[in-house]
Amino acid sequence: HITDTLREFCTEMEMLKIFEDLMGPEMYDPGDSAEVRIKGKQWFIQRPEAKWNSNAHWLNAMDETAHEHFLRVLGDGGFQSVLDAVGRKFDLDSLTVYSVGLFVVNQCENGFMHYDFNNVDGKAFNILIPVNLPRDEPTSQILVASRNDPNVTAAIDYQYEVAVGVGDGTNHAAGDCDYSESGGVRLMASLYIADVTDNNVENLIQHYTDPFPPADKEFLLNWKGLHWNKQGSVELPRDWRSHTRTDTSILPGPTESGKLELLRFSDGTIVDPYAFRVAFPETLTQALQKFCQEMGFAELFDELMTPEGEYEPGTGEIHQINGMKWQINRPAKKWNSNSHWLNPMSEEAQDQFLRVLGDGGFDVVLEAIGKHFHLEGLTCYSVGLFVVNHSD
């Protein structure tokens, strides 16, 4: 069932033509990669380095939207049963499908022996599912090295409806093949699953080969236990053909000052890996309100929200306000609102605004962002205010 669902997905997404081209006129050079847009979704194609000794190409979800779309394919295909089998066999607490993709190959000789992750406490696996195997070809295999003697390998024949899993430190390689004359290809789904913990998250990230999910420890920890747990209280999303989200409500934001949380829909799915809310001290609001009153901005904003005082879309001008230069802009008509922006036009005005932020406690916000995204430093390089009372 899961193989059929994956085939339907590849067909309807027109990926089969992409794979056919990658094995022919559109083949990448070893080590090359590119972002591609497929049916409105962002994907990432790469061909591994020459040491892999094959013409394999990988196609992986590039962002949250493509990732969730593929998860729904897995949900419809019954991959939940695989998660349940793996979780219970290895006595795991939970599992998350954190990286999804496909790979295609039709030539390989002496494939590169490698592992997908190491030192992850036995809690991560790459699950390989055949989507297409060349007919009448005896070489659709994966080689797995013995843990006791790396020079001894077991050759496993791929079979439809049977997944192969390789885990923590499992050395493996693609079996030799050459389907160039027959025109066949080996097409596989490659699904990285893990029981993400504080102890293994850094080593999981160390072995990333794709740009998504981002190499961010907190990001991956926030994904812990999304798709399976012992209690059976979570599962993969479903209905990939009509995957447009109907419930767009989001979870409540943080309340503790200095706490940052990524935006999540009500089912826990992350809206965007770089969209967040952060709670800040009440003193910051008070400092900004006081500044606006003392500078006369509050009165100015009231005027800008009237038919007589509003600017034409796409226009703006510089004002002298309390001896300092500020720029008022109304964005172009495509913004579909009567919003107006107010930004400092001199270093003196910029410094004044930064002092207001400092007095109000904005450092708490900077610290939360820096820690969450593991940044080395942050600069407030553009500051301003905007006002709006109508948008459609």
Side-chain angles (χ1 to χ4, degrees):
H1 183 51
I2 190 170
T3 297
D4 292 338
T5 308
L6 286 165
R7 284 176 182 164
E8 291 171 10
F9 170 75
C10 290
T11 300
E12 296 189 22
M13 290 290 288
E14 299 180 359
M15 290 179 171
L16 296 180
K17 178 63 167 62
I18 294 174
F19 294 137
E20 180 182 331
D21 290 343
L22 289 173
M23 294 294 95
E26 301 298 326
M27 185 176 294
Y28 286 32
D29 290 330
D32 280 357
S33 62
E35 298 179 25
V36 295
R37 192 162 183 83
I38 305 174
K39 295 282 188 176
K41 307 291 190 299
Q42 290 297 121
W43 288 79
F44 184 72
I45 297 176
Q46 58 181 319
R47 181 178 178 184
E49 298 171 350
K51 67 180 180 181
W52 289 74
N53 299 325
S54 81
N55 66 352
H57 288 64
W58 304 334
L59 179 67
N60 290 83
M62 181 74 184
D63 61 16
E64 178 79 16
T65 303
H67 183 83
E68 183 181 349
H69 191 199
F70 202 97
L71 291 180
R72 291 180 181 276
V73 176
L74 299 178
D76 287 347
F79 190 66
Q80 196 69 44
S81 63
V82 176
L83 294 179
D84 189 62
V86 173
R88 297 193 183 283
K89 175 66 177 179
F90 293 96
D91 193 26
L92 305 177
D93 292 324
S94 66
L95 282 168
T96 297
V97 185
Y98 68 92
S99 179
V100 297
L102 300 144
F103 71 86
V104 63
V105 62
N106 73 0
Q107 287 183 312
C108 180
E109 183 177 3
N110 191 27
F112 177 57
M113 190 66 68
H114 67 286
Y115 52 72
D116 295 323
F117 16 62
N118 197 31
N119 297 323
V120 291
D121 301 329
K123 295 183 177 183
F125 304 87
N126 181 8
I127 306 298
L128 302 166
I129 298 177
V131 180
N132 182 79
L133 300 174
R135 295 179 180 178
D136 304 321
E137 293 280 358
T139 54
S140 288
Q141 295 180 332
I142 179 173
L143 307 179
V144 178
S146 167
R147 191 65 63 111
N148 296 324
D149 186 351
N151 295 316
V152 177
T153 59
I156 303 171
D157 292 328
Y158 285 123
Q159 303 174 56
Y160 289 125
E161 305 301 339
V162 177
V164 174
V166 289
D168 192 350
T170 301
N171 277 299
H172 59 283
D176 289 357
C177 66
D178 187 350
Y179 313 134
S180 55
E181 291 188 8
S182 66
V185 298
R186 181 194 306 165
L187 177 59
M188 306 288 297
S190 176
L191 314 168
Y192 283 63
I193 67 174
D195 183 356
V196 183
T197 69
D198 289 326
N199 291 331
N200 68 16
V201 64
E202 290 187 359
N203 284 335
L204 287 172
I205 291 173
Q206 179 183 347
H207 297 287
Y208 276 7
T209 57
D210 309 307
F212 186 84
D216 184 311
K217 183 171 71 172
E218 293 301 322
F219 184 99
L220 196 54
L221 285 170
N222 284 334
W223 272 13
K224 176 179 174 61
L226 283 185
H227 305 126
W228 177 87
N229 60 30
K230 287 182 176 179
Q231 297 75 33
S233 60
V234 294
E235 62 180 20
L236 289 163
R238 299 188 180 185
D239 198 12
W240 70 272
R241 283 193 177 84
S242 57
H243 69 284
T244 301
R245 182 178 292 276
T246 55
D247 180 7
T248 57
S249 60
I250 59 175
L251 295 176
T255 57
E256 179 185 348
S257 180
K259 178 72 171 178
L260 183 150
E261 293 180 2
L262 298 178
L263 286 182
R264 292 177 180 270
F265 290 112
S266 57
D267 63 1
T269 302
I270 293 172
V271 177
D272 183 282
Y274 298 107
F276 58 85
R277 288 180 292 192
V278 57
F280 55 81
E282 185 179 0
T283 53
L284 182 55
T285 300
Q286 294 169 347
L288 287 168
Q289 290 174 339
K290 181 181 178 182
F291 174 66
C292 288
Q293 289 291 341
E294 292 179 350
M295 290 291 292
F297 291 159
E299 184 177 344
L300 173 62
F301 292 145
D302 286 341
E303 181 182 351
L304 291 172
M305 294 296 96
T306 65
E308 299 78 18
E310 68 179 5
Y311 282 43
E312 289 294 322
T315 65
E317 60 182 351
I318 297 175
H319 284 249
Q320 283 284 136
I321 304 176
N322 282 357
M324 299 185 189
K325 290 183 179 181
W326 289 78
Q327 172 89 33
I328 298 176
N329 284 306
R330 182 175 180 184
K333 187 178 294 185
K334 67 181 180 181
W335 288 73
N336 297 323
S337 80
N338 68 344
S339 64
H340 289 65
W341 306 336
L342 181 65
N343 296 88
M345 282 295 290
S346 67
E347 187 173 350
E348 184 183 14
Q350 170 100 349
D351 286 345
Q352 183 187 35
F353 199 101
L354 291 177
R355 291 180 184 279
V356 173
L357 296 179
D359 291 344
F362 189 67
D363 286 345
V364 170
V365 176
L366 295 177
E367 184 174 5
I369 295 171
K371 285 185 176 179
H372 182 88
F373 293 103
H374 305 287
L375 306 178
E376 294 183 2
L378 283 169
T379 299
C380 293
Y381 66 92
S382 178
V383 296
L385 300 151
F386 73 90
V387 62
V388 63
N389 70 5
H390 177 73
S391 178
D392 185 7

